[in-house]
Amino acid sequence: MRLVLGARQSDLARLQGYLVGDALKSLGVDIEYIFRESLGDKNLTDPLWKMPEKGVFTQDFYQDLINGKLDFVVHSWKDLPVEHTQGTEIVATLPRADQRDLVLIKKSSLQKKALRIFSSSPRREYNLIPFLSKHLPWVTEKIEFANVRGNIPTRLQKMTDDESIDGLVLAKAAIDRLLAHPYPEFKPVQEKIRGHLAKCNWIIPPLSENPNAAAQGALAIEIRSDRKDLKELFAKIHCEQTASSVVHERKIFSGYGGGCHQKIGVAVLTRSYGEILTVKGLSPKGEVLNTRKLLATKSAPGDLVKHSFNFSISRQQKPADVSLANTDMVWVARSEAAGSVDLNSYQGVVWAAGTSTWEKLAKKGVWVNGCAEGLGESESPRVEWLIGKTQPELVTLTHTLASNAGTYDLQIQLADGEIAKLKGDLLASGKYFFYWKSHSQFQAVLTALDGAPKQNFLNCAHACGPGKTWQNLKDTLGSDKNLYIYLNEESWKS
């Protein structure tokens, strides 16, 4: 079987075409590649949101699909208009790459009070300016965005050449894909990209603060609607999880009208415990959008009584028995965990547990590259291709109860009279519902109980965030039958 694949001719678009082609070749299909410019590639003057045509990167291939000159086209999902195209359909997508953005700041621009950053995206400008103003390790007085067009190497070169420009925002998936794959024809562009990256510090803004453009990082495979033979073929390489996430994002985005002019980011992050939905930006009607919620796969019964405990918590710094030599990354559980470790001069990747820890570290002058958004240490930073190492050496800075190399001692005590507040009948019936910020808090309560109350307590419903606390609670409880995940205590209370 031989099929003709169509795609744009930029380095990234060709690479994406090859990724789909390779997946089909593994099924015994021969591929002929046709790469050419689209309208959006020809007009590099106007910002995309000012261009009147919809589908400026996709419409040029439509007629060739209808006429049978192409069997299928590989698109970036986010380039597709939200309106359905008559006569064709999207039948498959590969597993999604990293959907987050990547912010580059020139090393020569560090400490500048006023920054000009290349990006033509109203979404990025609206969400990133307030984020960067709090999460860069120096005080800025002004951050503004400037329009830029062109493929990835072109935009990087423009940033490097323009002395009035301090940085650039890109889709991280584009950089990852271009750096990850060993096709010989991309070696020159990979070397150029690495050269530009070496002149910059980089940040991966969290989706909670800067949700992606709808469907960013996903590939869409478009065919003529009557090609039943191709539907059956592409079903074999289709990633349903990716498709479900991007369709959900596009549906929400289309509710605001869609289009590159929108100041709206929509992110669906799919995990084993559910979908984390984030919508952030400004609607066409001037409505400030700021939603982040977990659409959990498992919900607690509605008749449970939520109960919180008060604790006395103290943290005592200790001399850090930690060496950062030959390490690629440092994970910081909370700002206090940095202790006496010199992160200000550290040249590796600094990764924070959440945005609050990030902001506190930044105020201490630490360049933080990204964070886990409170989703736990199991949440992969996905920085392998940026640092050029597939298995980075990692050091975790946390308390001594969690690590032999802890940087501070943690003491948690249950406040006086807390156990007496529990009602025996509710505890015995298992109707209590507790939220735990850490496994140490859970252990403090467990230690204060014995006999039947202790067992009744274990039989109650418990909740926490995803990550190590969840795993430790599961191990202590013996299963996750009565264990539920919430993004934070506030979402549990609501």
Side-chain angles (χ1 to χ4, degrees):
M1 186 179 189
R2 184 176 181 82
L3 298 176
V4 181
L5 178 158
R8 295 163 59 198
Q9 65 181 22
S10 70
D11 293 311
L12 179 61
R14 294 200 323 275
L15 175 57
Q16 292 175 166
Y18 292 150
L19 292 176
V20 176
D22 287 349
L24 292 173
K25 286 178 181 178
S26 69
L27 301 177
V29 179
D30 291 330
I31 302 295
E32 176 185 346
Y33 298 92
I34 294 181
F35 301 119
R36 57 182 174 81
E37 287 185 321
S38 67
L39 173 63
D41 298 310
K42 297 172 185 176
N43 180 352
L44 295 179
T45 303
D46 297 326
L48 292 179
W49 59 271
K50 282 188 176 181
M51 297 178 70
E53 298 86 353
K54 294 183 178 181
V56 294
F57 291 118
T58 61
Q59 188 63 28
D60 289 344
F61 297 96
Y62 172 75
Q63 202 59 49
D64 285 346
L65 271 179
I66 295 297
N67 294 337
K69 293 181 180 179
L70 298 173
D71 292 300
F72 66 100
V73 181
V74 177
H75 303 288
S76 292
W77 252 114
K78 72 172 183 177
D79 291 340
L80 292 167
V82 295
E83 295 87 353
H84 176 69
T85 303
Q86 293 295 322
T88 68
E89 60 184 279
I90 305 301
V91 291
T93 186
L94 299 187
R96 192 177 199 173
D98 196 332
Q99 65 204 75
R100 296 171 295 180
D101 283 334
L102 176 70
V103 178
L104 304 178
I105 303 293
K106 291 178 181 177
K107 291 180 179 178
S108 59
S109 295
L110 301 183
Q111 304 300 326
K112 286 184 64 173
K113 298 295 185 182
L115 296 174
R116 293 186 74 230
I117 299 174
F118 265 151
S119 176
S120 299
S121 164
R123 167 189 67 86
R124 287 169 173 159
E125 180 177 8
Y126 183 84
N127 287 327
L128 283 177
I129 288 178
F131 172 78
L132 292 174
S133 66
K134 293 182 179 180
H135 293 82
L136 289 174
W138 70 89
V139 177
T140 56
E141 296 175 354
K142 182 180 181 181
I143 300 176
E144 62 179 358
F145 276 43
N147 288 326
V148 66
R149 289 288 311 282
N151 58 34
I152 298 299
T154 297
R155 279 179 275 166
L156 286 166
Q157 191 65 53
K158 286 181 178 180
M159 174 194 67
T160 298
D161 293 344
D162 193 334
E163 294 183 357
S164 73
I165 293 298
D166 305 296
L168 171 67
V169 187
L170 301 164
K172 183 173 176 290
I175 293 293
D176 285 350
R177 284 184 175 130
L178 285 169
L179 292 178
H181 297 284
Y183 302 107
E185 71 178 270
F186 296 107
K187 187 174 181 180
V189 74
Q190 289 173 344
E191 291 175 350
K192 289 181 180 179
I193 290 172
R194 291 245 174 250
H196 292 298
L197 292 179
K199 299 174 184 178
C200 298
N201 280 14
W202 53 265
I203 280 174
I204 305 173
L207 294 176
S208 57
E209 297 289 335
N210 179 54
N212 52 266
Q216 183 166 295
L219 303 181
I221 300 169
E222 183 182 22
I223 66 170
R224 203 170 66 196
S225 298
D226 61 358
R227 292 294 301 271
K228 182 180 178 181
D229 58 326
L230 295 186
K231 293 179 183 180
E232 295 174 351
L233 174 66
F234 282 113
K236 298 177 182 178
I237 65 170
H238 176 59
C239 177
E240 181 56 36
Q241 177 176 297
T242 295
S244 176
S245 296
V246 300
V247 168
H248 191 178
E249 289 175 1
R250 283 166 60 85
K251 182 178 180 180
I252 293 173
F253 188 57
S254 67
Y256 297 102
C260 296
H261 63 286
Q262 298 286 8
K263 301 177 181 180
I264 302 171
V266 183
V268 172
L269 195 64
T270 303
R271 294 295 180 261
S272 60
Y273 48 85
E275 289 185 344
I276 301 170
L277 171 64
T278 307
V279 181
K280 191 175 178 68
L282 187 69
S283 78
K285 297 180 179 180
E287 177 189 4
V288 175
L289 308 173
N290 191 6
T291 298
R292 186 173 187 246
K293 60 183 178 181
L294 172 63
L295 309 174
T297 55
K298 184 175 71 170
S299 300
D303 60 344
L304 299 178
V305 178
K306 296 176 182 178
H307 183 84
S308 298
F309 293 98
N310 291 317
F311 297 91
S312 173
I313 300 176
S314 64
R315 299 178 179 88
Q316 183 66 44
Q317 295 290 337
K318 58 167 288 190
D321 185 20
V322 176
S323 173
L324 301 185
N326 302 317
T327 63
D328 304 300
M329 291 187 64
V330 174
W331 166 281
V332 187
R334 52 187 305 125
S335 60
E336 295 91 339
S340 59
V341 178
D342 182 13
L343 293 180
N344 297 75
S345 60
Y346 178 61
Q347 297 300 304
V349 175
V350 177
W351 208 256
T355 54
S356 176
T357 298
W358 184 338
E359 185 175 350
K360 291 175 182 177
L361 289 172
K363 287 181 178 179
K364 297 178 181 179
V366 177
W367 183 280
V368 180
N369 299 94
C371 73
E373 305 192 60
L375 302 181
E377 292 181 55
S378 60
E379 193 70 18
S380 173
R382 302 181 76 173
V383 299
E384 305 92 298
W385 303 114
L386 287 173
I387 67 175
K389 194 169 184 178
T390 55
Q391 292 184 321
E393 295 290 332
L394 174 69
V395 167
T396 300
L397 302 184
T398 184
H399 57 81
T400 53
L401 293 176
S403 171
N404 291 332
T407 59
Y408 66 95
D409 293 323
L410 175 67
Q411 291 186 340
I412 295 180
Q413 290 185 326
L414 191 61
D416 292 341
E418 286 297 295
I419 294 298
K421 295 178 183 178
L422 294 175
K423 295 180 180 179
D425 56 338
L426 280 174
L427 192 62
S429 66
K431 290 297 183 181
Y432 271 127
F433 193 14
F434 306 102
Y435 183 89
W436 307 103
K437 294 181 179 179
S438 70
H439 188 246
S440 300
Q441 290 184 351
F442 173 87
Q443 286 290 353
V445 175
L446 191 62
T447 301
L449 296 167
D450 56 21
K454 181 176 182 178
Q455 187 57 51
N456 292 338
F457 169 74
L458 291 172
N459 291 337
C460 286
H462 303 270
C464 63
K468 183 175 289 186
T469 298
W470 182 88
Q471 185 60 56
N472 288 338
L473 285 173
K474 178 186 175 184
D475 291 343
T476 303
L477 295 171
S479 76
D480 63 353
K481 179 182 178 182
N482 294 322
L483 183 58
Y484 302 90
I485 290 179
Y486 289 77
L487 292 181
N488 48 51
E489 187 174 17
E490 288 68 34
S491 63
W492 170 77
K493 288 179 178 178
S494 63

